[in-house]
Amino acid sequence: MSKQIVCTTITKSHLAYARTLAETLLEHNPDAELYVLLADRLDDTFDPAIEPFKLIQLEELPDQNLIERMTFYYTPFEFCCALRGLLHQYVFETLNAERWIFLDSDVMVCHSLDVIFDQLSDVSILLSPHAETPVEIEYAAHEACFLNAGMYNGGFLGLRRTEETYRFINWWKERLIHYGFSDLSIADPRGLFVDQLWLNFVPLYFRDFKLLLHPGTNIGHWNFYDRQFEDDGNGNIQVNQQPLLFIHFSGWNLSNPYQISKYSLLPYEEQIDSPWGKMATQYREKLLKNGYEVTSQLPYAFGTFHDGSSIDWISRRGYYDELKRGITGEDSPFDRAAYFQSQSYWIDSIPLLTEKLHQANQTIHQLHAQVEQIQTSLQETIAQQQLTIEQQQQTIAQQQLTIAQQQLTIEQQQQQICEKDGMLDQIHLRLQAIENSKFWQFRNLWWKLRRSLGQTDTLAQ
């Protein structure tokens, strides 16, 4: 049996997603091979030889000058999407596959994909529509999103080796090289949404196509509303009474796994113990096991100039505009940090300005909140300091009272000493008066006379 070829594109930060896609794909499709086009530089961050997929590096693609320009004028998300045409060209010309499918890296495969490959047996192009049944009028904004983002979801595409497919690949590749921007809120270049809006033309330009209508495929926030999930009793999930083949975690957040998607406009309320909750928990565990916490922090190789300074969105769009006007420059754009940082590019877009004003308004509100927090904290600090000062003043007053009491005690002791000194002086004066009296002089003479006559001084004994 020939290998079933599945392919995807990632930056290094999505390496855990590619590992999880490969793991779940091979678990249910042992004859499948996953090819991953790295829209980034390897930079020795991981070893492709031990990964569960086959890595395609940018250096393997034709026209490296074109690739370098794309790495500069596209953001990481745009670049991943813009490479899809080149990826399909690589599969068609290098792998010689008869049938293959593209899956976004944030997909978990839950079952054999044979039914999809079987459907590709007699059609060139297989598309996955965003919606198959209408919503109630109060949720029509959900349908309006498809008018902006496209009728078909770019996270899946099935192709078969035919002349029609080759013509489609070349047409799509050229559009994505030059017009693969995410510009839904920007007037220039064309209000695009990466690769997805271009798929709207497929039914018009390429007749040999079909829709992937299996209810268990490409499940995401766009079609979740008309999917009924249930456990078949053997631990497998059924969707509208059909096997769940793969689920697309678009706009899903690992830190809030039970929310369907941050992009959803429909009021989904999923419980932890629901089929969705179980699938989300399983997907989260697989991502963590496959190194999400490390790989999600890996830097994008084309996010900075060669001097290390960041490349902003305006410089990318300005460079693209210069290329359209024939201004290419002699050096690599990554060597021209000073040039791009000195330019004043103008993006003609009222929606963009509105968005920037909204962001500025949010920033002002955040600054006001921060000022209020600072003022509250300052007032609390001042009150605490005042309380401390009052306590210190009370302590000083108590110390001063103690000192005053001690001084009073010393003065009293000094007064007592002075009084005692006065009494001693009076005694000395009296003794001196006695010694100077005639009686005392006669007494002393009498005793001397007695001692001279040999009489004992009995009083002295």
Side-chain angles (χ1 to χ4, degrees):
M1 180 181 293
S2 61
K3 289 287 186 180
Q4 294 178 344
I5 301 300
V6 180
C7 57
T8 192
T9 58
I10 63 165
T11 59
K12 293 194 295 292
S13 63
H14 277 58
L15 179 58
Y17 289 91
R19 290 170 176 168
T20 301
L21 173 59
E23 175 188 335
T24 58
L25 173 66
L26 295 175
E27 179 183 354
H28 300 284
N29 302 267
D31 292 320
E33 281 186 336
L34 176 65
Y35 284 82
V36 176
L37 174 55
L38 183 63
D40 207 333
R41 296 291 186 208
L42 189 58
D43 294 332
D44 296 326
T45 52
F46 65 96
D47 183 2
I50 62 175
E51 294 295 337
F53 52 76
K54 297 184 181 298
L55 186 70
I56 306 170
Q57 298 194 52
L58 290 176
E59 292 80 1
E60 300 179 55
L61 300 180
D63 197 344
Q64 289 295 300
N65 290 331
L66 172 63
I67 295 298
E68 182 184 54
R69 291 196 291 270
M70 292 173 67
T71 62
F72 193 90
Y73 61 68
Y74 281 138
T75 65
F77 169 63
E78 293 168 342
F79 189 44
C80 273
C81 296
L83 284 174
R84 293 176 180 180
L86 289 166
L87 172 59
H88 288 297
Q89 181 185 40
Y90 178 92
V91 174
F92 193 102
E93 296 179 351
T94 306
L95 301 183
N96 295 317
E98 288 300 320
R99 291 168 290 176
W100 67 95
I101 65 174
F102 175 91
L103 294 176
D104 264 352
S105 62
D106 54 349
V107 160
M108 182 171 72
V109 178
C110 305
H111 197 273
S112 168
L113 303 181
D114 287 347
V115 64
I116 299 176
F117 282 96
D118 289 343
Q119 191 169 351
L120 276 170
S121 297
D122 59 358
V123 68
S124 295
I125 304 169
L126 191 59
L127 298 175
S128 177
H130 275 123
E132 300 170 38
T133 59
V135 297
E136 299 296 332
I137 184 61
E138 59 264 33
Y139 302 123
H142 179 71
E143 293 174 334
C145 288
F146 305 145
L147 298 177
N148 291 323
M151 304 307 295
Y152 310 103
N153 182 257
F156 169 87
L157 181 65
L159 296 175
R160 182 168 66 95
R161 176 178 294 276
T162 65
E163 292 184 5
E164 182 90 330
T165 294
Y166 193 65
R167 191 166 64 87
F168 161 75
I169 290 174
N170 281 297
W171 169 82
W172 201 39
K173 176 193 68 176
E174 291 297 326
R175 269 66 183 171
L176 299 187
I177 287 174
H178 300 287
Y179 297 99
F181 296 97
S182 178
D183 286 333
L184 286 179
S185 62
I186 303 167
D188 184 30
R190 291 291 183 272
L192 301 170
F193 185 57
V194 289
D195 61 314
Q196 200 159 268
L197 278 171
W198 291 109
L199 295 177
N200 286 351
F201 287 99
V202 170
L204 302 177
Y205 297 166
F206 309 97
R207 303 301 183 184
D208 189 18
F209 80 96
K210 286 185 179 180
L211 300 181
L212 180 63
L213 299 178
H214 189 292
T217 60
N218 206 16
I219 294 172
H221 63 89
W222 44 83
N223 59 16
F224 201 83
Y225 66 95
D226 68 351
R227 300 300 198 258
Q228 298 297 320
F229 297 88
E230 59 183 3
D231 194 316
D232 66 357
N234 297 318
N236 301 313
I237 303 298
Q238 298 283 313
V239 184
N240 296 2
Q241 300 181 341
Q242 294 290 326
L244 169 61
L245 302 191
F246 69 92
I247 188 166
H248 191 166
F249 287 86
S250 174
W252 176 83
N253 193 325
L254 182 140
S255 62
N256 187 17
Y258 306 114
Q259 180 184 11
I260 302 299
S261 172
K262 64 182 179 181
Y263 301 129
S264 177
L265 297 180
L266 298 177
Y268 297 131
E269 294 182 4
E270 290 301 318
Q271 302 300 319
I272 296 175
D273 58 352
S274 68
W276 164 261
K278 293 177 181 178
M279 291 183 293
T281 299
Q282 181 183 5
Y283 190 58
R284 182 179 187 275
E285 291 173 351
K286 288 182 179 294
L287 285 175
L288 292 173
K289 176 178 65 72
N290 286 318
Y292 171 85
E293 293 178 322
V294 174
T295 61
S296 61
Q297 302 303 314
L298 294 177
Y300 180 55
F302 309 115
T304 60
F305 291 98
H306 288 160
D307 67 358
S309 58
S310 297
I311 303 174
D312 60 23
W313 179 85
I314 297 296
S315 294
R316 294 186 187 277
R317 288 298 190 270
Y319 175 65
Y320 173 79
D321 184 62
E322 290 181 353
L323 288 177
K324 289 183 66 176
R325 290 186 284 119
I327 303 173
T328 59
E330 297 180 359
D331 300 326
S332 165
F334 293 94
D335 288 325
R336 301 163 61 196
Y339 170 78
F340 287 106
Q341 292 165 359
S342 67
Q343 299 301 302
S344 297
Y345 293 113
W346 172 255
I347 305 299
D348 184 14
S349 170
I350 293 177
L352 176 62
L353 292 177
T354 302
E355 182 178 339
K356 286 188 173 182
L357 286 174
H358 176 67
Q359 292 175 349
N361 190 44
Q362 286 184 322
T363 301
I364 291 172
H365 283 301
Q366 291 173 353
L367 291 174
H368 278 310
Q370 292 175 359
V371 169
E372 290 177 359
Q373 290 178 350
I374 292 172
Q375 288 177 338
T376 301
S377 177
L378 182 61
Q379 290 173 351
E380 291 176 352
T381 301
I382 292 173
Q384 184 64 37
Q385 289 177 341
Q386 288 177 339
L387 178 60
T388 301
I389 291 171
E390 290 175 359
Q391 292 173 343
Q392 291 174 342
Q393 288 176 339
Q394 290 178 355
T395 301
I396 292 172
Q398 291 175 350
Q399 291 175 341
Q400 289 176 338
L401 178 60
T402 301
I403 292 171
Q405 291 173 343
Q406 291 175 343
Q407 288 177 339
L408 179 60
T409 301
I410 292 172
E411 290 176 355
Q412 291 174 346
Q413 291 175 344
Q414 289 176 340
Q415 184 177 0
Q416 291 175 356
I417 293 171
C418 290
E419 291 176 353
K420 291 180 180 179
D421 288 342
M423 292 175 63
L424 289 173
D425 290 341
Q426 291 178 0
I427 293 171
H428 287 151
L429 290 174
R430 289 180 181 177
L431 289 174
Q432 188 175 4
I434 292 172
E435 290 176 351
N436 293 331
S437 66
K438 292 184 177 295
F439 171 78
W440 191 260
Q441 292 176 357
F442 177 75
R443 175 187 175 281
N444 289 338
L445 182 61
W446 168 256
W447 288 113
K448 287 178 181 181
L449 178 60
R450 283 178 62 87
R451 283 195 289 271
S452 65
L453 295 176
Q455 296 182 358
T456 304
D457 189 354
T458 56
L459 292 176
Q461 293 177 351

